[in-house]
Amino acid sequence: EEGSKKKKKKKKKKKKKKKKAGSADSGGGGEAGKPSKKPHSRLLKETAFTDYYVALGQTDPPTIPVAELFSSQNKEYPAGEIQHHPLPEINSYRINSDEKRAIERMHADVYSKLRHASEVHRQVRSYAQSFIKPGIKLADMCEKLENKNRELVGEDGLNRGIGFPTGCSLNHVAAHYTPNSGDDTVLQYDDVMKVDFGTQIDGRIIDSAWTVSFNPRYDPLLEAVKEATNAGIRAAGIDVRLCDVGEAVQEVMESYEVELDGKTYPVQCIRNLNGHSIGPYQIHAGKSVPIVKGGDTTKMEEDEIYAIETFGT
């Protein structure tokens, strides 16, 4: 009897080890190194997986600082999406000019820092999308997100760290709300939440946000803001007037409607909220990018960095 008990114990131990290895290698889901977990919120890309980073050799949940993850594999940080220059009639030479290409190569170090911060943001964002769901307390959500941000960026004083406090604005609050200690607000199924956080490497800040929603009735609103943001990004570029970016955003945003309880509402831009230029260690560097037509005719200039932000209601 004692011998059979020992055998059973050994079998149980083996099973536990197998389970642990599976969760470490594949995130407790499909094949090792293959993303398998989908986010809880709506209208993220169909290709979005909250554990996409396992394909890069990251653990799930992610624990390896991004710099270490890429340097250990001798890889460069992802370049991200490259847009064509707007105003091709005056900007096409920037692609063909040997001088301009040489100047571009001189900025490789800055681009590498921005892409490093972007990859940290992407991994933290994807991880956050795995636990942001109805029932979570906003203060706990922000704390969990910011701790992971610090871990993956390899926080080091002013050299590397979070870009600014995490925003998690609910419903009629459009932006810039951060819960304080003792705030017991809990995320609900019918909420529309804007999550906004940043990362920085040597003062190069990545400022990016997304909208969280679980109720399909708000899908047209999310779609309007997403497409308006994409329109603003396409319109932005060297020598483009700030007001022209705003016009492109407004045209797309206000072409949408939302039906709630049998009544149709036009989607509108929140005109007193804007995108902005970003400088080294400076989240708002002086220029504002409107999201409605008219206004500032100042032009975007070479070597500037912008956050294109849109707000719809």
Side-chain angles (χ1 to χ4, degrees):
E1 231 177 274
E2 256 178 63
S4 64
K5 278 182 184 177
K6 282 180 183 176
K7 281 180 185 177
K8 281 179 185 176
K9 282 180 182 177
K10 280 181 183 177
K11 282 180 183 177
K12 282 181 181 177
K13 280 181 183 176
K14 280 181 183 176
K15 280 180 183 175
K16 282 180 182 177
K17 280 181 183 175
K18 281 181 184 176
K19 191 175 179 183
K20 193 174 179 182
S23 61
D25 293 340
S26 63
E31 301 167 31
K34 186 175 180 181
S36 60
K37 297 178 180 178
K38 300 298 288 182
H40 300 283
S41 55
R42 298 183 60 78
L43 282 198
L44 296 170
K45 289 181 180 177
E46 286 189 14
T47 54
F49 290 92
T50 62
D51 60 343
Y52 87 90
Y53 38 70
V54 298
L56 303 174
Q58 179 63 276
T59 59
D60 185 29
T63 56
I64 306 170
V66 168
E68 184 183 322
L69 179 67
F70 279 79
S71 63
S72 66
Q73 301 175 55
N74 200 26
K75 286 184 178 179
E76 292 186 354
Y77 300 112
E81 184 178 339
I82 306 295
Q83 293 280 343
H84 293 292
H85 281 289
L87 309 177
E89 64 278 7
I90 62 172
N91 276 324
S92 59
Y93 80 97
R94 296 181 182 281
I95 301 168
N96 304 319
S97 166
D98 290 337
E99 183 184 354
K100 285 297 179 185
R101 288 206 297 268
I103 292 171
E104 188 86 353
R105 287 192 291 272
M106 291 172 65
H107 288 83
D109 181 54
V110 173
Y111 295 153
S112 180
K113 289 172 182 176
L114 288 167
R115 287 165 178 165
H116 179 184
S118 295
E119 181 59 28
V120 172
H121 196 288
R122 195 156 35 237
Q123 292 195 19
V124 173
R125 181 171 73 242
S126 295
Y127 170 64
Q129 287 164 357
S130 72
F131 62 76
I132 295 178
K133 55 185 177 181
I136 192 168
K137 191 185 291 187
L138 297 189
D140 294 342
M141 181 199 81
C142 290
E143 185 175 5
K144 196 171 181 179
L145 186 154
E146 289 183 354
N147 286 342
K148 187 56 64 180
N149 197 358
R150 291 186 176 98
E151 183 180 9
L152 296 191
V153 80
E155 188 176 48
D156 179 25
L158 291 176
N159 298 321
R160 293 186 302 276
I162 63 174
F164 48 85
T166 302
C168 53
S169 309
L170 290 179
N171 306 320
H172 65 282
V173 181
H176 307 144
Y177 169 79
T178 300
N180 292 317
S181 180
D183 188 328
D184 292 326
T185 305
V186 173
L187 183 63
Q188 305 295 328
Y189 172 78
D190 208 41
D191 285 336
V192 175
M193 177 172 67
K194 289 69 67 180
V195 183
D196 187 7
F197 74 97
T199 56
Q200 69 90 7
I201 305 289
D202 288 337
R204 297 297 177 177
I205 304 169
I206 292 300
D207 175 6
S208 183
W210 80 100
T211 304
V212 173
S213 174
F214 311 100
N215 192 331
R217 73 196 300 226
Y218 301 118
D219 285 0
L221 177 60
L222 271 66
E223 187 69 31
V225 178
K226 183 178 179 180
E227 291 306 316
T229 303
N230 289 335
I233 292 169
R234 285 193 298 270
I238 298 166
D239 289 330
V240 172
R241 299 186 306 173
L242 297 174
C243 60
D244 292 338
V245 179
E247 185 172 357
V249 169
Q250 185 176 23
E251 183 178 358
V252 174
M253 181 85 78
E254 298 189 354
S255 68
Y256 282 80
E257 295 177 333
V258 180
E259 186 178 324
L260 299 175
D261 303 322
K263 187 175 179 181
T264 301
Y265 299 88
V267 177
Q268 295 182 310
C269 294
I270 303 175
R271 60 178 56 243
N272 63 333
L273 291 173
N274 306 293
H276 50 90
S277 56
I278 300 175
Y281 294 105
Q282 192 175 15
I283 188 63
H284 288 258
K287 288 185 179 179
S288 293
V289 186
I291 59 173
V292 292
K293 64 183 178 181
D296 195 349
T297 57
T298 303
K299 291 182 178 180
M300 293 180 161
E301 299 175 61
E302 200 165 356
D303 299 332
E304 289 181 327
I305 296 170
Y306 284 88
I308 303 298
E309 302 182 2
T310 67
F311 303 84
T313 181

